[in-house]
Every structure is written in C-alpha cells, then in structure tokens.
C-alpha cells in the first residue's frame, strides 16, 4: 500500500535520539516496502549539522544500526537517503524559519511537521511556523509527553490549537500503533465468542502489565523529571485500559473509536487523595541483577539526582464506574528494571457459581485469558480439564494461539504504521485532546499526593517491584500473573 500522494515530512529534532532510533528507521522500512510515494521527501531540521552532506553522514553512522532486524538492503538504503534534505535551523532565529519556508516552496503534496523535540519547544516551533505561513494545510505531530500535568498540557494544547485545528494535530502514543493492540480490537469486536463474557458478570479482575528490563538508559535527566506515572501510565497504560474496557464502537473511523475510549477515561473512578496509599504503589529500583548481569541503582544513573524521589515503578488499582465494569478491579503495573520484558493483559474470569465437579473447579485463576503483546504476540486461554486416570481431578490446561505460526509476514513496527497514517491523514490511532485531558485529570491526584509527601518504595532491579504491589492484589484475593515468561 503506497501513500496516496506526494508528501514532505519535516522532522524537527532530526539528530535526536527518537529520530535516530525510531522515526528514520520507520521511514526507511516504509520506503523499502514500497509504501512511500516516489516523490515524497524528508526534510530533517536540526542545529548541529552544518549541511546536507554532514547530516547524511550522521544518518549513515547512527541510523543504519537501528534499521531492520533483517539487515539493511543497500540499494533501498541508497534510494532512501536520496529522499532526505537538510535544513540547519536555530529555533531562536526567525530568519531560519524563512529559510525553511523557502526550502519547502517547491515541494508539493501533504506537508507534515513532526516535532521530535522536548514539549517545551512545541509552542515556540508552532508560532515560528505560523509566522511564515507554514501552518496552513499542514499536519503536525506531537510526541509524548505532552505537558507535565493537566495545566501544562492544556496550555500547550491551547497554544497549538490557535495555530492548528484539531484535525491537523496528531498526538502520538506509539502503543496505539502496535500490531497486537490493533489485534485486541479484532479479538474483541471480530468474534462473538468473547463479547458476552467481557463484563462484570463473568470477569473477576483484569491486569495490564508493561514491564521493562531496561533502565533509564541515556535519558536519566528527562526521566528524573518525569517518572513512570507520566511516562507510561498517563498515556500507554490508560490507552490500553480504554481499549480493553470500551464499548463496541459503531465503526473503526477515527471518532467512533476515540469517542468510546473517551467514555472509559471519563468513567474512571476518581481517586480520593486519602485513599492513594491503598490503590497506588510507587517504587524505585536499587542495584540488582538482571539475567546474570549486575545493574546499578536508579539514583546512581547519569542525569539522576542522588536523592531522587522519582518513581520507576507504579502499580494501581483502577475502577470503572459504568454498568459493564462496576466493581471489577483493573490492576495496572509498569516499571523499569523488572524481572522480564513483557506487556500483557490478563482477564481473570469468575469461577463457576456451583461446582458439581468438586472443590477444585472453584479454583480462581483457572478460567483466564492472557493476551500477550510483547515480546511475542500470543493469546492463551486457560481452562480446567480432567486429569487422566481414576476420579475427577481437575487441572489447569491452556489453548495457545501464537500469531507468528499463522502469519508469516512480519509485524509492522508501531512507528511505521503511525507515520504512514499521518502521511495518509488517518487520525484514528492518535490521541484526541479530550482523551488526553481526561487521562491527565485522572492521574493528577496521584501526582499531587506523591509530589507532596513520601518516597517510592525500594525494589531490587531484576525483581517484580515492591512487595506492596503484590499485597495490594492479595487484598482482593488475587496475584499478579508472573510465571508465564
Ligand atoms: C516510551 C517511554 O514511551 O515507551 C519509555 O518513554 C519506554 O520510557 C517505552 O521505555 C516503552 O516502549 P516499548 O515499545 O519498548 O514497550
């Protein structure tokens, strides 16, 4: 599928980490797969490189290593690099934006401005683009985190909204571009089997985990001012939650899906500040061992304050106040330097109401659906079966669906899908302003309470986080599913 028409993709932060690791590799993949219109151009914008030749040298040195697990196709790489132009630009110099406008003058088709920069630059860049008329008929892509809290996110959205209309604004949450997240929609709304069970009458609790083995890498400075609640919960985890819990949308068009997600976000039970210690656990990793390698404590990572109170782990109990989900706890969890890299959704169904087969059929956890998003995409349905032999002894067994056995074509990377969507004007997988606001509003009491008092609980790197996260589930007679990996 080629993009419908010609385009110019202007990349601010052209020498940044995100451009190097994600955006340029994703554009290369789309190019290699023949999905970009032949006349489409990429215009990288940065301060550091002098001219196109030195920028291309940077691209060759830094981006190639992040491209395609299958290796680089040299011919495709050469023609990809041919698409790239470069404009050296200092954000503080108005005349540089005139230079950018002139450089874009001859380009036709859709114009995309991708702001792969810190959020503090979003508004100044938008103003500067508008001052030379470049906002007209263009699309703008904003990376997360958009703001620091509800107020700052509103301030950015208000300012950007004066220059670009909502239909021109693409707020990225890369989890929405992941193949397995798309598949969750297919599972829920393409099969009549699950939908009748997908509600409080049959579901006891739901867990959503995004666990990482990585630490803060080279982003200590950014992360120490952000923390896991802003970095992962406000966006990725709440987006996953809203897809798991939403009502069937009327269609897959952009507003039908986003309207339903918004309803879930607005139905999240507000957290009373007095209850925060009961429903929210924060942790920070100390030194430990992951897969046999010693890793340092968070507080000793470069860019991190030695007395930092930033959380690298969050576990939450969330409730949704509507007819479908009233009373069903949703347990969310994310953290860095945990025991494994895994992202999964666990739907725990209720035990049978009466067991004619003996007490073992009432065992909780026997009826369970595990949707794994990462590192491999699988769906596993646990049920009870009779053990061979005499008597009626039940044991948990599972049905497995491994997607890579069904589909030989490789998964499309999240960024590749999302960039193609921007170029083609498809908004469904981007976060609308009202969704973002609802998510900030819900996390705000926790942000405030944590900023005002207390410290994260320590956990050793390579474990599953502080014991308090398990204790929170134990109070509900359940536990995190951890033995699967
Ligand atoms: C990003 C966060 O949005 O998502 C990172 O800023 C995190 O801290 C990353 O590591 C996780 O994404 P993925 O796709 O590797 O699960």
């Amino acid at each position: 599928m080629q993009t419908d028409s010609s385009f110019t993709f202007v990349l601010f932060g052209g020498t940044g980490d995100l451009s190097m690791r994600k955006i340029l590799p994703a554009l290369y993949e789309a190019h290699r797969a023949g999905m970009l219109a032949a006349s489409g151009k990429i215009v990288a914008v940065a301060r550091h490189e002098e001219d196109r030749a030195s920028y291309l040298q940077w691209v060759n040195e830094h981006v190639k290593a992040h491209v395609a697990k299958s290796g680089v196709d040299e011919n495709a790489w050469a023609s990809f690099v041919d698409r790239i132009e470069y404009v050296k630009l200092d954000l503080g110099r108005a005349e540089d934006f005139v230079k950018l406008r002139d450089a874009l003058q001859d380009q036709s088709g859709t114009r995309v401005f991708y702001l792969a920069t810190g959020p503090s630059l979003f508004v100044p860049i938008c103003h500067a683009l508008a001052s030379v008329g470049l906002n007209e008929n263009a699309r703008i892509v904003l990376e997360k985190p958009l703001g620091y809290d509800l107020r700052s996110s509103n301030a950015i959205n208000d300012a950007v909204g004066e220059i670009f209309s909502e239909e021109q604004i693409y707020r990225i949450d890369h989890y929405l571009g992941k193949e397995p997240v798309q598949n969750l929609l297919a599972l829920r709304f393409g099969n009549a089997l699950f939908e009748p069970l997908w509600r409080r009458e049959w579901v006891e609790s739901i867990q959503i985990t995004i666990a990482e083995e990585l630490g803060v890498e080279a982003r200590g400075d950014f992360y120490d001012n952000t923390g896991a609640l802003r970095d992962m919960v406000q966006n990725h985890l709440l987006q996953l939650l809203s897809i798991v819990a939403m009502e069937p949308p009327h269609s897959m068009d952009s507003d039908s899906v986003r309207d339903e997600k918004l309803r879930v976000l607005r139905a999240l039970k507000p957290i009373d500040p007095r209850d925060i210690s009961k429903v929210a656990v924060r942790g920070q990793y100390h030194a430990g061992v992951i897969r046999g390698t010693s890793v340092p404590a968070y507080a000793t990572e470069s860019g991190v304050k030695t007395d930092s109170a930033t959380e690298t782990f969050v576990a939450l109990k969330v409730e949704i106040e509507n007819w479908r989900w009233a009373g069903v706890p949703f347990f969310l969890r994310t953290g860095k330097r945990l025991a494994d890299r895994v992202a999964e959704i666990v739907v725990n169904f209720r035990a049978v109401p009466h067991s004619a087969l003996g007490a073992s059929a009432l065992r909780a956890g026997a009826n369970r659906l595990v949707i794994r998003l990462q590192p491999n995409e699988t769906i596993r349905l646990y049920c009870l079966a009779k053990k061979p032999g005499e008597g009626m002894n039940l044991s948990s067994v599972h049905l497995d669906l491994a997607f890579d056995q069904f589909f030989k074509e490789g998964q499309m990377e999240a960024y590749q899908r999302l960039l193609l969507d921007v170029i083609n004007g498809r908004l469904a997988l981007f976060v609308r302003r009202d969704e973002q606001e609802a998510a900030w509003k819900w996390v705000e009491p926790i942000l405030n309470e944590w900023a005002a008092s207390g410290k994260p609980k320590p956990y050793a790197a390579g474990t599953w986080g502080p014991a308090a996260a398990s204790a929170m589930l134990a109070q509900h007679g359940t536990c995190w599913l951890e033995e699967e990996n």
Side-chain angles (χ1 to χ4, degrees):
M1 172 201 52
Q2 240 192 29
T3 58
D4 306 339
S5 59
S6 187
F7 65 89
T8 309
F9 188 96
V10 184
L11 178 58
F12 280 85
T15 50
D17 202 59
L18 190 68
S19 298
M20 172 176 82
R21 285 173 200 278
K22 298 286 186 191
I23 302 172
L24 289 167
L27 287 169
Y28 162 77
E29 273 305 323
H31 166 84
R32 193 189 55 79
M35 292 169 150
L36 297 182
S39 54
K41 284 276 171 212
I42 298 163
V43 179
V45 174
R47 228 179 1 173
H48 299 301
E49 299 298 337
E50 265 321 298
D51 53 21
R52 178 169 186 263
S54 64
Y55 183 70
L56 293 190
Q57 194 179 341
W58 178 88
V59 169
N60 277 308
E61 280 168 17
H62 294 86
V63 180
K64 232 172 167 178
H66 296 284
V67 155
K69 297 158 215 148
S70 51
V72 179
D73 170 340
E74 288 299 338
N75 286 335
W77 179 258
S79 51
F80 171 67
V81 166
D82 277 350
R83 290 183 185 269
I84 303 179
E85 303 291 341
Y86 177 74
V87 174
K88 180 173 160 65
L89 180 144
D90 187 332
L91 293 179
R93 287 162 51 101
E95 59 270 35
D96 281 6
F97 279 84
V98 175
K99 204 170 68 183
L100 177 65
R101 184 191 60 197
D102 294 346
L104 297 180
Q105 217 147 42
D106 297 334
Q107 316 282 6
S108 60
T110 303
R111 187 173 284 163
V112 174
F113 293 105
Y114 195 115
L115 308 196
T117 64
S120 60
L121 299 178
F122 291 172
V123 175
I125 293 175
C126 288
H127 278 301
L129 289 173
S131 71
V132 291
L134 280 175
N135 56 325
E136 280 158 34
N137 300 319
R139 297 179 188 145
I140 185 127
V141 188
L142 305 176
E143 260 298 334
K144 66 163 268 285
L146 204 135
Y148 189 74
D149 51 17
L150 180 62
R151 201 178 51 80
S152 57
S153 140
N154 277 345
I156 295 175
N157 276 323
D158 285 345
V160 174
E162 279 171 20
I163 294 164
F164 293 93
S165 66
E166 185 64 24
E167 293 67 43
Q168 293 176 282
I169 304 174
Y170 291 69
R171 296 180 193 83
I172 279 220
D173 181 316
H174 79 278
Y175 263 70
L176 293 180
K178 287 184 187 260
E179 194 78 56
V181 177
Q182 296 291 291
N183 229 337
L184 188 55
L185 293 168
L187 178 84
R188 283 203 57 200
F189 305 127
N191 299 291
L193 180 65
F194 298 107
E195 197 47 30
L197 304 179
W198 212 260
R199 55 188 65 251
R200 64 188 303 280
E201 288 81 355
W202 297 106
V203 174
E204 194 168 67
S205 67
I206 292 187
Q207 301 175 11
I208 308 179
T209 293
I210 305 178
E212 298 185 87
E213 284 179 27
L214 287 178
V216 290
E217 306 300 291
R219 300 192 307 159
D221 194 21
F222 155 79
Y223 195 88
D224 208 33
N225 290 307
T226 305
L229 195 61
R230 292 184 176 90
D231 190 41
M232 299 294 288
V233 178
Q234 185 273 339
N235 32 67
H236 305 326
L237 271 172
L238 288 184
Q239 282 292 326
L240 284 184
L241 169 77
S242 64
I243 293 175
V244 170
M246 74 189 203
E247 294 300 316
H250 151 73
S251 79
M252 283 297 140
D253 72 51
S254 55
D255 280 330
S256 299
V257 175
R258 298 190 297 178
D259 286 349
E260 294 306 338
K261 286 195 291 158
L262 177 65
R263 282 198 187 107
V264 174
L265 293 168
R266 288 195 173 149
L268 297 179
K269 183 176 176 186
I271 295 195
D272 183 331
R274 286 166 304 188
D275 288 341
I276 284 175
S277 61
K278 291 188 212 132
V279 297
V281 174
R282 60 178 153 160
Q284 187 188 86
Y285 65 83
H286 283 200
V289 177
I290 299 189
R291 296 193 188 277
T293 305
S294 299
V295 296
Y298 172 73
T300 64
E301 302 268 19
S302 138
V304 173
K305 289 185 283 304
T306 46
D307 61 347
S308 171
T310 299
E311 77 286 354
T312 60
F313 174 97
V314 176
L316 298 172
K317 179 191 148 196
V318 182
E319 287 180 81
I320 300 175
E321 295 183 310
N322 63 20
W323 274 43
R324 186 187 282 262
W325 295 117
V328 177
F330 284 71
F331 298 108
L332 311 187
R333 168 174 72 155
T334 185
K336 296 215 178 269
R337 290 283 191 229
L338 296 184
D340 205 351
R341 173 179 183 247
V342 64
E344 67 187 11
I345 297 156
V346 179
V347 182
N348 287 314
F349 292 100
R350 294 189 191 282
V352 292
H354 162 73
S355 174
L357 299 172
S360 59
L362 291 170
R363 198 145 45 91
N367 298 278
R368 164 186 286 164
L369 183 70
V370 181
I371 303 164
R372 175 165 294 183
L373 315 173
Q374 288 177 170
N376 48 344
E377 187 181 6
T378 56
I379 296 183
R380 181 170 273 196
L381 180 63
Y382 288 84
C383 29
L384 286 180
K386 180 189 169 300
K387 269 196 204 154
E390 225 196 322
M392 179 57 81
N393 293 316
L394 301 184
S395 166
S396 176
V397 294
H398 46 81
L399 297 164
D400 274 341
L401 168 58
F403 284 80
D404 57 1
Q405 286 171 9
F406 271 91
F407 302 109
K408 292 302 160 213
E409 45 281 60
Q411 284 191 356
M412 193 187 265
E413 283 291 328
Y415 270 94
Q416 183 180 339
R417 180 193 320 282
L418 294 174
L419 296 184
L420 287 168
D421 278 2
V422 177
I423 292 170
N424 290 319
R426 294 189 284 254
L427 270 163
L429 301 182
F430 296 84
V431 181
R432 220 169 46 192
R433 177 174 180 170
D434 45 14
E435 290 179 78
Q436 198 174 51
E437 269 182 39
W440 274 122
K441 210 168 172 177
W442 186 79
V443 297
E444 196 127 275
I446 315 176
L447 286 174
N448 292 342
E449 182 64 23
W450 284 358
S453 65
K455 286 195 89 169
K457 296 187 189 316
Y459 63 96
T463 65
W464 284 105
S470 303
M472 183 167 76
L473 269 70
Q475 283 176 0
H476 293 270
T478 184
C479 58
W480 296 104
L481 187 73
E482 276 156 11
E483 72 279 7
E484 292 307 304
N485 309 316

